[in-house]
Amino acid sequence: MTELVVRRLLIDMQAPISRHWCGGDAFRTALFNALSMSFPVGEQFFIDSVRNGFKALPEDKQESLRAEIEGFIGQEATHRRLHALYNGHLEKLGLVNEWAPRALRQQKLLEGIDPRHAVGITAANEHFTAILANWLLHNPDLLGTEDPRLATLWLWHSCEESEHKSTAFDLYQALGGNHEWRIVWFRRITKIFLVDTLRQTVNNLRRDGTLWKWSTWKSAASYLFGKRGLIRLTYEPWRDYLRPDFHPSQQDASISRRWLAEHRKQYSIVGAPA
Ligand SMILES: [Fe+2]
Ligand SMILES: [Fe+2]
């Protein structure tokens, strides 16, 4: 069991966000902004799935998971609140979130079915966020120096994703979820996640007026497929999920523990004595 605490990030989300806050790079900015646009709706879905899954557990199995589930919900609720403020600034920049309404329509299709499906979907998404988080924590300079507040937000969020990466997976197992469905959902979520990320990134670039600039495509090629490219470096950890004996805890999380220890002044712990 992982002990999860809820942290309050000490950053000012009222100050506006600049157009190319991420190292002055239009592509990277559009990509991170696209991911942020998916979080409030996505993370609310994870919270609801885990909450419903927990309720479906027999009482004798609930106790051992209760604290971790509460921590998970607290962490995701904090993420979605800060990303909603972040997304408010993006709206003012003229960007339009088309991912969130599409995700809400997809979520409606799951209403009334076995809660293990939603937990399996959440576990698949959580694997995605955990490997993205690990990539980002190993390459923090990609966030640039223009907006240290947003760099902190992304790295803190990454640490907590890494920290709670086993929660939905363990709940899925406790509910008797099987390997076949775990893989079915993982493959589906992979397609949905990649297509939605791409669509929203392109949409952001189009509205930003930078979609057809050579520098945008050069940056996309480098940061997706280059030496430190997102797709190149996350393929192996992505594939691990397919193994029948996979467990999220097998993936190293030491870098997130280190970041949290080294940046203790940038957050307070909710419920800790002042
Ligand atoms: Fe999150
Ligand atoms: Fe998460």
Side-chain angles (χ1 to χ4, degrees):
M1 199 186 102
T2 321
E3 236 184 83
L4 300 173
V5 295
V6 178
R7 301 175 181 87
R8 182 163 292 131
L9 200 56
L10 306 173
I11 56 167
D12 169 24
M13 284 308 289
Q14 300 306 319
I17 289 178
S18 71
R19 221 178 115 215
H20 295 152
W21 65 265
C22 187
D25 184 300
F27 171 75
R28 274 187 282 149
T29 304
L31 175 66
F32 283 115
N33 289 349
L35 292 171
S36 177
M37 287 167 160
S38 78
F39 290 150
V41 160
E43 294 181 313
Q44 186 60 51
F45 174 81
F46 305 156
I47 290 171
D48 294 340
S49 308
V50 160
R51 201 176 261 145
N52 291 335
F54 181 73
K55 277 193 215 145
L57 273 179
E59 246 172 65
D60 58 315
K61 282 192 178 172
Q62 284 186 346
E63 224 29 63
S64 63
L65 277 172
R66 187 182 303 277
E68 185 174 338
I69 299 280
E70 278 169 11
F72 175 93
I73 291 172
Q75 289 191 342
E76 293 293 29
T78 316
H79 302 166
R80 69 181 299 280
R81 194 174 54 77
L82 288 186
H83 279 277
L85 294 172
Y86 176 146
N87 296 347
H89 292 301
L90 299 182
E91 256 175 59
K92 290 192 193 120
L93 290 173
L95 302 183
V96 177
N97 187 348
E98 290 179 4
W99 188 340
R102 195 165 53 246
L104 282 173
R105 285 195 298 276
Q106 289 162 348
Q107 289 171 16
K108 280 234 166 302
L109 303 174
L110 297 165
E111 278 174 13
I113 66 166
D114 189 316
R116 282 178 292 192
H117 288 298
V119 177
I121 291 169
T122 301
N125 275 291
E126 287 289 302
H127 183 61
F128 255 94
T129 48
I131 60 180
L132 288 177
N134 215 27
W135 170 77
L136 195 54
L137 285 162
H138 280 97
N139 298 282
D141 57 303
L142 299 184
L143 291 162
T145 52
E146 281 81 351
D147 196 331
R149 160 195 63 156
L150 288 189
T152 301
L153 169 74
W154 279 103
L155 295 170
W156 156 81
H157 192 166
S158 296
C159 289
E160 294 197 346
E161 289 306 322
S162 178
E163 208 175 32
H164 71 224
K165 64 183 189 281
S166 298
T167 309
F169 190 96
D170 287 342
L171 178 60
Y172 181 77
Q173 308 287 10
L175 285 162
N178 65 30
H179 176 71
E180 284 68 30
W181 271 108
R182 176 165 81 73
I183 300 306
V184 166
W185 282 121
F186 186 57
R187 290 194 184 282
R188 282 186 198 167
I189 292 304
T190 297
K191 278 189 213 128
I192 294 171
F193 184 79
L194 292 180
V195 171
D196 281 341
T197 306
L198 184 67
R199 278 175 83 168
Q200 189 61 54
T201 303
V202 167
N203 188 318
N204 291 349
L205 287 167
R206 194 164 44 79
R207 291 183 194 272
D208 180 45
T210 45
L211 179 59
W212 297 111
K213 284 201 169 165
W214 170 244
S215 55
T216 299
W217 288 79
K218 205 171 138 211
S219 170
S222 156
Y223 293 109
L224 294 178
F225 304 106
K227 235 196 295 170
R228 293 201 290 159
L230 178 60
I231 292 181
R232 183 190 249 207
L233 295 184
T234 54
Y235 175 68
E236 290 287 326
W238 172 85
R239 212 177 50 175
D240 286 345
Y241 196 85
L242 301 170
R243 287 198 333 260
D245 63 346
F246 170 78
H247 189 273
S249 64
Q250 291 156 357
Q251 300 198 322
D252 182 34
S254 52
I255 194 160
S256 68
R257 285 194 292 275
R258 201 158 57 237
W259 191 94
L260 288 167
E262 285 170 1
H263 296 81
R264 186 62 192 82
K265 286 201 177 104
Q266 286 177 293
Y267 61 84
S268 63
I269 292 176
V270 176

